[in-house]
Amino acid sequence: MMTKNQLLTLLLITFLSMSCLASERISICIDNRDWYPFSYHQDGQAKGIFIELTKAALKHSKIEADFLVMPMKRCMNVLARQGKIDAVIGLPFDLALNDKLHYPEDAALETSRWRLMQVDFNLVTPKNSSYDFSGKLNTIPQPIRIPKAYLNIIKKVKAANIPVEISQQDESSFYKLIRDNTGSLITSSIMAVRQDETEKFRDKFIVHPYPIASLSYFLAFFDTKATNPELHKKVWMNIEYLRNDYVFMLQLLSEY
Amino acid sequence: MPVCMAQNKPIDEAAIERWATFFSPSAIDREEKIKELRWFAEAAKQYQGLNVRSVAEEIKTHHWESEVLSRAFEEITGIKVEHKIIGEGQIVRKIMDQLMTGRLLFDIYVNDADMIGTHLRLKKTVNLTQYMKNEGDKYTNPDLDLADFLNLEFGQDYDGNQLQLPDQQFANLYWFRYDWFSRKDIKEKFKKQFGYELGVPLNWAAYEDIAKFFTGMKIDGTQVYGHLDYGKKSPSLGWRFTDAWLSIAGVGDIGLPNGSPVDEWGIRVENRIPVGSTVSRGGALNSPAAIYALTKYIDWLKKYAPPEALNWRWVDAGPKAAEGNIAQRIFQYVTWLSDDAFYRPGSVLTDKQGKPKWRVAPTPHGRYWEEGMKVGYQDAGSWTIPKNIKGKRRHMAWLWAQFCVSKTVSLKKFLVGGTPVRKSTINSDHLTKYKDKWGGLIDFYRSDVRSRWTDTGINVPHYPALSAAWWPTIAKAISGELTPKQAMDLMAHAQDEMMAKVRLKVYSPKLAEQKSESYWLSQPGSPKAQRVRPKPKTIAYETLLKQWRNE
């Protein structure tokens, strides 16, 4: 039987441990768009390469995270203002957000050493197409199918006054491209490989080598009490370390 | 960014004639050269005006490909090549990025065949054997003549499929000052001090004696060192070991190309499955032989090499012997011997007739080495196409690769970089006439013994992952932070841990149950129990040459 003093001591230890844990826990939001395999949600849980890489990098600094799936606007404009969110995953560098978010110091470069990942977006045409992408957006065969999750790419193509056919997901873009045997689609290089490994689409399309865009994606921090610049840098360094760890990346990428 | 539209112009016969003249000497005659170059022009006709992107490491051979061969290829075929030259470490990063994330960084890589064990297990590169039989048949040079290649097996999987095609190769040999080793006064002094003849060392005991003998000696006014090496903390410090140093010490088992069941990385492999590197799992990376290999490397570096060598990398140490103060080097990559300083008339390393004062010979063995084991390392930078390069890009890349190893260009390329891939190059009349200029290298490549110099081989399941643990640990042993035993223990356990984690498509490692070290050390073969220093042995260089020539 536990004495009163023992019970009080136990409660005190539990309280102290909880406070300690609480200070090493942060909240991170991810966009609720489905961007497989980088970030997506399944049964309300955040999943994907960005999330797993972030979790592992935080673990190195003994930090745990709650991942909150929500529309990015709500994350940026409501919760972040209220100080309820410490960081956000899966954004490329955006000058307009630079006053709200802490990005790594080299984030404006095309390839940052502190990135979660570098994602290339490539043009895909049907196998019998004789078109070669030269870098000129206005020559791309239309319709240009782009999944709705690729916000930056949609913005880039639209800015050149070129119409875009928004698709739900990569797979539907591929389905329409192969079915109609016309036009093009834009996808990530990793997704192009995945689709080429499926029975349905194998050897049925050409991936053009010059990317439409090549972007570094980040874990970026808000100004909150839970983190500080020193910690940001430490976590980004952990990310770099893990990204260069062949065994870790092999394990991670083989999951998707 | 270039606009890429195929042009389909008539073949430029004048360009073919011009380049056929330029590629002289050649192992084939002018008519054969023109026929071969015309085939390239015809095969590439539908791709005129397009471009291809390749990448290779920073050695003389690849610079020449980038500056000269790419121009020739473009003028003959109309395909523009961007042949980028970067560090070997970066190439490995890029190719792994492309294989794992599908980024289309390059159409083709010159990637060391040391990665064959990775490629065969990942299954993310083009199987060239299948490709040549099927859709690549139209784009495969009828005069490619695979049987003419040296060490084609370096780029093959367990079943003999070609996954990588050699573009350049260089062995790692023993290098020494033949003029000093032949001088009567020096020979007498050595015999008096050590009781045996100064000659090409056959074992590490003799190498060590010779290193000790020359270090600090003044020869013709120059202070001499008995050894040359490098020790800077850098990825190239890892190559110093993974490029077969352990096999030269005798760590692995008998059997070519890499030792079986234990190879030169100390990995035990059973039925194509790596099962462990630690002695307790039947491996040998922390065996007495491996500890001895590291101990000798550190001792000699600190005692007999120039003091600055501790801060040199592979590239720094490469041509250093040409400065004229080094008596011998146990680990000389022959690619560095293409540096002008080794040949230039008037250089300290050439005689009055302009012939080299140095020679190359087989690397002496460590005390754990046994007859039937590999005796040295051979690097084979090999053309490798990622599977996500498809259709015309794959065809263009393959045409470019074959052009760089065609019989038309191979001899000329060898004369520039000293990295042969064809038997016809080595056996050419031109090299018979001028072989003395190469200090024994041509004799080496013409002999049967060259098959005992092999690359990393197919047992290493993931070269980039496993090799990453080597150099930081070796650096700690050099600085004294770890003893050689602690370092090898750490590396062996790290390698096992990594093998336990990696999951590959085929022949993925599966660690064996642990047993006591004494159990494994008492079994025949590797891992081998501790041995004592053997009697030092040397051989006269002339006798060695006769052996190479089967005289």
Side-chain angles (χ1 to χ4, degrees):
Chain A
M1 180 73 72
M2 204 177 270
T3 65
K4 200 177 166 185
N5 276 348
Q6 280 174 321
L7 187 64
L8 279 173
T9 312
L10 184 68
L11 282 172
L12 185 64
I13 289 169
T14 311
F15 173 74
L16 285 174
S17 318
M18 282 175 70
S19 335
C20 183
L21 273 178
S23 66
E24 289 168 355
R25 197 166 190 96
I26 62 171
S27 297
I28 301 176
C29 70
I30 63 162
D31 195 1
N32 65 348
R33 65 185 162 147
D34 188 358
W35 192 23
Y36 183 88
F38 303 104
S39 70
Y40 59 101
H41 50 96
Q42 210 171 45
D43 307 325
Q45 296 289 304
K47 298 204 170 206
I49 296 170
F50 290 168
I51 285 88
E52 296 308 321
L53 187 51
T54 303
K55 270 188 201 168
L58 291 172
K59 199 175 163 191
H60 267 253
S61 296
K62 297 188 171 57
I63 296 169
E64 287 188 59
D66 293 316
F67 293 94
L68 307 171
V69 181
M70 64 184 73
M72 191 51 70
K73 276 185 187 165
R74 179 170 155 73
C75 170
M76 303 291 288
N77 300 334
V78 182
L79 294 183
R81 271 191 201 161
Q82 294 167 358
K84 290 180 178 169
I85 293 288
D86 304 301
V88 55
I89 281 183
L91 287 181
F93 178 70
D94 185 343
L95 200 59
L97 297 176
N98 208 21
D99 57 341
K100 285 185 187 170
L101 284 167
H102 292 282
Y103 282 102
E105 60 192 21
D106 67 347
L109 301 177
E110 187 187 274
T111 305
S112 159
R113 63 181 286 202
W114 314 108
R115 67 194 184 275
L116 279 165
M117 257 182 104
Q118 188 75 14
V119 181
D120 285 0
F121 297 90
N122 294 74
L123 186 76
V124 174
T125 52
K127 195 184 179 178
N128 56 2
S129 157
S130 59
Y131 175 76
D132 274 291
F133 178 54
S134 64
K136 289 179 184 164
L137 294 179
N138 58 5
T139 66
I140 296 177
Q142 292 185 22
I144 307 169
R145 304 162 183 99
I146 310 179
K148 65 177 182 183
Y150 295 16
L151 301 173
N152 289 62
I153 308 303
I154 293 170
K155 214 156 91 182
K156 182 172 178 174
V157 177
K158 280 187 171 172
N161 285 324
I162 298 164
V164 168
E165 185 181 303
I166 310 279
S167 55
Q168 282 303 309
Q169 287 175 332
D170 276 292
E171 204 179 328
S172 51
S173 283
F174 275 91
Y175 176 76
K176 285 178 190 166
L177 180 90
I178 307 302
R179 184 196 62 192
D180 300 344
N181 197 26
T182 183
S184 58
L185 65 85
I186 295 173
T187 189
S188 65
S189 62
I190 199 164
M191 188 49 80
V193 171
R194 297 295 181 274
Q195 296 301 337
D196 193 46
E197 283 168 353
T198 64
E199 201 65 43
K200 247 187 314 187
F201 302 131
R202 183 175 301 140
D203 285 333
K204 290 184 176 158
F205 56 84
I206 299 165
V207 185
H208 295 257
Y210 301 103
I212 302 274
S214 179
L215 302 172
S216 288
Y217 282 82
F218 299 100
L219 163 67
F221 292 92
F222 291 104
D223 238 339
T224 61
K225 284 177 186 166
T227 71
N228 56 58
E230 203 183 320
L231 179 79
H232 303 164
K233 193 160 184 187
K234 208 170 161 189
V235 175
W236 290 326
M237 282 171 76
N238 291 343
I239 289 171
E240 183 194 24
Y241 174 82
L242 287 165
R243 221 187 43 243
N244 289 331
D245 179 341
Y246 288 112
V247 177
F248 175 81
M249 289 307 285
L250 196 65
Q251 282 181 305
L252 178 61
L253 293 167
S254 63
E255 299 285 317
Y256 300 94
Chain B
M1 205 172 286
V3 177
C4 305
M5 295 298 282
Q7 293 162 354
N8 219 354
K9 286 184 198 159
I11 287 170
D12 187 346
E13 294 289 346
I16 290 175
E17 294 276 339
R18 198 167 58 247
W19 284 106
T21 306
F22 176 82
F23 293 124
S24 296
S26 171
I28 55 176
D29 64 30
R30 185 176 171 80
E31 260 181 44
E32 289 170 313
K33 282 191 278 183
I34 288 175
K35 179 181 157 248
E36 188 168 54
L37 296 180
R38 193 174 287 131
W39 178 86
F40 277 105
E42 284 287 355
K45 220 169 166 187
Q46 58 183 310
Y47 304 134
Q48 288 171 1
L50 302 185
N51 66 345
V52 69
R53 297 174 304 171
S54 56
V55 66
E57 70 172 308
E58 43 195 358
I59 60 171
K60 218 169 165 185
T61 299
H62 296 314
H63 282 290
W64 190 72
E65 287 169 347
S66 177
E67 288 153 16
V68 178
L69 286 189
S70 65
R71 213 177 97 208
F73 188 69
E74 186 180 354
E75 288 183 22
I76 292 163
T77 66
I79 297 173
K80 188 173 171 55
V81 180
E82 190 195 332
H83 191 48
K84 208 169 176 185
I85 308 298
I86 60 177
E88 173 62 19
Q90 271 181 290
I91 293 178
V92 173
R93 291 233 159 264
K94 299 260 180 208
I95 194 168
M96 289 313 294
D97 193 5
Q98 179 152 353
L99 299 183
M100 300 312 296
T101 70
R103 298 181 71 201
L104 292 154
L105 301 172
F106 293 99
D107 297 308
I108 189 164
Y109 291 75
V110 181
N111 173 223
D112 281 355
D114 297 310
M115 274 186 61
I116 188 67
T118 315
H119 293 318
L120 76 89
R121 286 176 174 83
L122 282 177
K123 287 197 165 286
K124 285 184 182 286
T125 52
V126 173
N127 179 332
L128 297 172
T129 304
Q130 292 297 324
Y131 172 72
M132 286 186 274
K133 267 189 211 160
N134 299 305
E135 82 269 24
D137 178 46
K138 227 170 108 181
Y139 304 98
T140 300
N141 179 4
D143 295 317
L144 180 61
D145 192 5
L146 288 174
D148 186 46
F149 276 79
L150 297 158
N151 308 314
L152 204 58
E153 66 280 8
F154 289 177
Q156 292 172 353
D157 65 13
Y158 283 109
D159 301 310
N161 291 302
Q162 203 72 45
L163 306 186
Q164 301 181 274
L165 183 75
D167 177 69
Q168 49 82 6
Q169 299 184 91
F170 50 90
N172 198 311
L173 295 173
Y174 171 75
W175 179 97
F176 71 107
R177 286 293 297 269
Y178 178 69
D179 56 336
W180 294 348
F181 276 52
S182 308
R183 260 170 62 167
K184 205 177 159 201
D185 57 331
I186 294 177
K187 283 172 77 118
E188 280 173 3
K189 198 176 165 193
F190 182 85
K191 188 155 187 193
K192 199 174 163 193
Q193 195 173 332
F194 293 95
Y196 60 96
E197 296 292 338
L198 174 63
V200 173
L202 290 173
N203 55 17
W204 284 15
Y207 182 85
E208 191 167 52
D209 286 347
I210 298 169
K212 191 175 177 186
F213 173 72
F214 277 107
T215 302
M217 187 185 282
K218 267 204 164 172
I219 302 179
D220 304 331
T222 302
Q223 180 157 332
V224 170
Y225 293 95
H227 175 61
L228 173 64
D229 219 320
Y230 63 92
K232 185 171 180 157
K233 186 178 178 182
S234 74
S236 69
L237 187 56
W239 311 339
R240 177 65 183 75
F241 280 75
T242 53
D243 289 355
W245 181 242
L246 299 187
S247 76
I248 298 166
V251 167
D253 267 311
I254 288 169
L256 292 175
N258 301 96
S260 178
V262 178
D263 70 8
E264 81 262 34
W265 279 46
I267 300 173
R268 176 171 286 268
V269 175
E270 287 169 2
N271 299 321
R272 304 177 177 183
I273 310 283
V275 298
S277 324
T278 47
V279 172
S280 59
R281 296 185 201 276
L285 192 52
N286 56 342
S287 66
I291 295 162
Y292 157 78
L294 179 57
T295 306
K296 287 296 166 195
Y297 157 79
I298 296 170
D299 281 358
W300 297 344
L301 174 67
K302 290 184 175 172
K303 285 182 186 165
Y304 309 126
E308 315 85 81
L310 275 165
N311 289 316
W312 287 341
R313 296 161 302 158
W314 183 68
V315 285
D316 306 314
K320 284 284 178 203
E323 289 177 8
N325 61 344
I326 304 295
Q328 59 169 0
R329 184 173 187 191
I330 194 165
F331 204 76
Q332 176 71 53
Y333 291 95
V334 299
T335 182
W336 294 110
L337 300 181
S338 62
D339 192 290
D340 285 347
F342 284 94
Y343 297 99
R344 199 180 44 241
S347 134
V348 287
L349 288 189
T350 53
D351 63 18
K352 283 175 191 162
Q353 287 77 44
K355 288 184 180 166
K357 292 176 179 173
W358 50 268
R359 297 288 185 273
V360 288
T363 319
H365 319 128
R367 68 178 70 152
Y368 295 85
W369 186 88
E370 286 153 87
E371 196 57 49
M373 288 178 66
K374 72 181 278 185
V375 294
Y377 175 74
Q378 181 124 237
D379 183 287
S382 303
W383 291 106
T384 313
I385 310 178
K387 253 188 189 166
N388 67 340
I389 298 300
K390 310 188 104 184
K392 61 186 169 196
R393 303 209 69 79
R394 187 181 289 185
H395 305 321
M396 288 191 294
W398 178 234
L399 285 171
W400 163 235
Q402 292 175 95
F403 184 76
C404 290
V405 295
S406 63
K407 283 184 185 165
T408 299
V409 312
S410 283
L411 177 53
K412 185 102 176 172
K413 186 163 115 175
F414 171 76
L415 295 177
V416 174
T419 54
V421 290
R422 284 188 175 275
K423 292 172 193 162
S424 54
T425 301
I426 289 302
N427 295 325
S428 65
D429 293 343
H430 179 88
L431 288 186
T432 301
K433 196 170 168 189
Y434 295 105
K435 74 183 165 75
D436 286 350
K437 195 190 151 198
W438 294 87
L441 192 64
I442 306 304
D443 297 281
F444 165 75
Y445 273 112
R446 285 182 177 183
S447 77
D448 295 336
V449 298
R450 66 167 168 74
S451 63
R452 298 202 248 159
W453 273 256
T454 68
D455 66 342
T456 293
I458 48 188
N459 293 337
V460 177
H462 199 294
Y463 183 98
L466 267 53
S467 62
W470 288 53
W471 62 271
T473 315
I474 293 163
K476 283 182 184 167
I478 295 172
S479 69
E481 207 178 315
L482 295 173
T483 65
K485 179 165 176 18
Q486 286 169 332
M488 297 316 289
D489 276 341
L490 205 68
M491 275 160 59
H493 283 101
Q495 198 160 279
D496 275 1
E497 263 176 47
M498 277 187 260
M499 289 205 292
K501 283 182 195 167
V502 289
R503 290 287 163 267
L504 301 153
K505 215 151 192 167
V506 293
Y507 312 131
S508 205
K510 196 176 171 190
L511 294 187
E513 288 296 313
Q514 286 183 293
K515 289 182 180 166
S516 73
E517 291 198 352
S518 59
Y519 165 81
W520 280 111
L521 292 172
S522 62
Q523 300 300 306
S526 179
K528 300 164 192 175
Q530 195 139 10
R531 292 183 188 176
V532 295
R533 188 183 203 254
K535 207 175 145 193
K537 279 187 196 165
T538 54
I539 187 172
Y541 181 69
E542 289 70 21
T543 312
L544 185 83
L545 268 190
K546 280 183 185 167
Q547 284 179 4
W548 277 358
R549 292 170 184 164
N550 287 326
E551 285 171 12

